[in-house]
Amino acid sequence: MSTQRLFDRIDSVRLQQVTKKYDELFAVEQLDLDLQGGELLILIGPSGSGKTTTLRMINRLIEPDDGVITINDHDIMEFDPVRLRRNIGYVIQDIGLFPHMTIKENIGLVPRLEGWSDQEISDRVKHLLDFVSLPPESFMDRYPGQLSGGQQQRVGLARALAMDPPLLLMDEPFGALDPILRKQLQDEFNVIKQEIGRTILFVTHDIDEAFKLGDRIGIMSDARLIQIGTPEELILHPENELVSDIVDAKRKFKHIDTLRVKDMMSPITDKYLFDAGMTAHEAVNRMTQTNVELAIVLDGSDLVRYVEMADLVQQKHDDVTLWDIARPTPGFSSNDHIASALGKLKDMGESLGVVMEADRPVGLFFLDNVLLKLI
């Protein structure tokens, strides 16, 4: 491999008095920001507050008008911008996969430009697809249009990791996904971030996502950084009313005994409901077409099970039925108390339950969603 690395690890990313203007309008104004090596720092704030502009200045897609950006105390303006970008992973909401290229070609594009051999590229692509829970033998030769939205987002992450960059920039990577799929990918990414041990700057507009993924959270508004801190610091000591509103500081006063399942559930539609007799192959095709990765499995009785696409694509026999693979899950009424629902989940050792009305699933009740909202 002939890759020339600018940095093997990140000790710091520092923005000092960084400003970007368009005519008389500030996109970012006098931004001071320190990203510590190994942390995941979230930027959150209203649209137009400067979050994405900040990311794009770090990898020099946009040049700042004033101020200094350093990585490991080196001014990024001293680096060749193309070389800089190849040392930084970049994941965006729209993914940007090339539709005429296979998944292998998409992930291996930059390594090929760097002069890697065909075998090196193939080995790297297989490793990364396994890493993001996409079996390589099933996905390497597919095209982006043959994948669900969640699968495409996983490929986007794999592509960003192709050169093993020590720094990742992520711009609302799960923002275009529906709430259920978004939650699944957040859970997967929480595991991945621990395994890769990289320094990550992550933009989102979802405060629950920020609390779930971030080590620290920076609140931006009107092109400025208003406050930065851990979730607990922001909730307990908000700088002003804007920060209080964004982090929902009053959540610390919520009483669990006043809440019901309907207050915390994630609604679902019929696209999540699958017949127990459907085969794994049929279910994967339907999930891909409808862009879901979790199936609520029904057999006409009161019993309810669920299965995720990640379990289905691992099946060696396509004719195995969903009922054979799916896991039993507790059912709740929308008027059940949160405390009793949490107790039932704990007793069963499950992290999600199905909310039923008139013997039909209408929502999902996730354990960690509730805990996040009760911080």
Side-chain angles (χ1 to χ4, degrees), residues 219 221 226-227 234 237-246:
I219 310 290
S221 180
I226 306 302
Q227 186 176 357
L234 296 176
H237 306 290
E239 183 75 19
N240 55 29
E241 190 171 342
L242 171 68
V243 175
S244 180
D245 288 343
I246 288 176

Side-chain angles (χ1 to χ4, degrees), residues 132-272:
V132 297
S133 303
L134 296 175
E137 63 276 9
S138 299
F139 287 90
M140 284 181 68
D141 296 325
R142 295 192 193 184
Y143 289 89
Q146 298 173 300
L147 273 57
S148 69
Q151 290 170 340
Q152 289 184 36
Q153 197 58 261
R154 290 183 180 88
V155 173
L157 177 59
R159 183 180 60 182
L161 294 172
M163 301 301 296
D164 196 23
L167 175 62
L168 280 178
L169 305 177
M170 308 188 72
D171 192 358
E172 300 205 44
F174 313 134
L177 306 175
D178 76 48
I180 305 298
L181 181 52
R182 182 175 186 140
K183 186 242 178 281
Q184 287 179 267
L185 264 67
Q186 289 168 355
D187 289 342
E188 291 180 21
F189 183 69
N190 241 342
V191 174
I192 287 173
K193 77 168 185 177
Q194 299 299 328
E195 293 188 23
I196 62 176
R198 294 298 183 261
T199 304
I200 304 171
L201 187 58
F202 188 112
V203 164
T204 183
H205 64 270
D206 180 346
I207 190 60
D208 288 327
E209 181 169 81
F211 282 173
K212 185 172 187 174
L213 300 180
D215 298 312
R216 290 190 301 153
I217 300 169
I219 310 290
M220 296 192 71
S221 180
D222 295 328
R224 287 179 171 270
L225 181 66
I226 306 302
Q227 186 176 357
I228 191 167
T230 65
E232 292 79 8
E233 289 169 346
L234 296 176
I235 290 172
L236 297 173
H237 306 290
E239 183 75 19
N240 55 29
E241 190 171 342
L242 171 68
V243 175
S244 180
D245 288 343
I246 288 176
V247 303
D248 189 10
K250 296 183 179 62
R251 70 173 65 205
K252 64 180 181 290
F253 299 117
K254 288 179 178 175
H255 296 290
I256 192 171
D257 56 357
T258 68
L259 297 174
R260 297 183 183 271
V261 166
K262 62 184 176 184
D263 299 317
M264 296 286 189
M265 78 173 189
S266 300
I268 58 172
T269 61
D270 286 351
K271 70 179 182 178
Y272 284 94

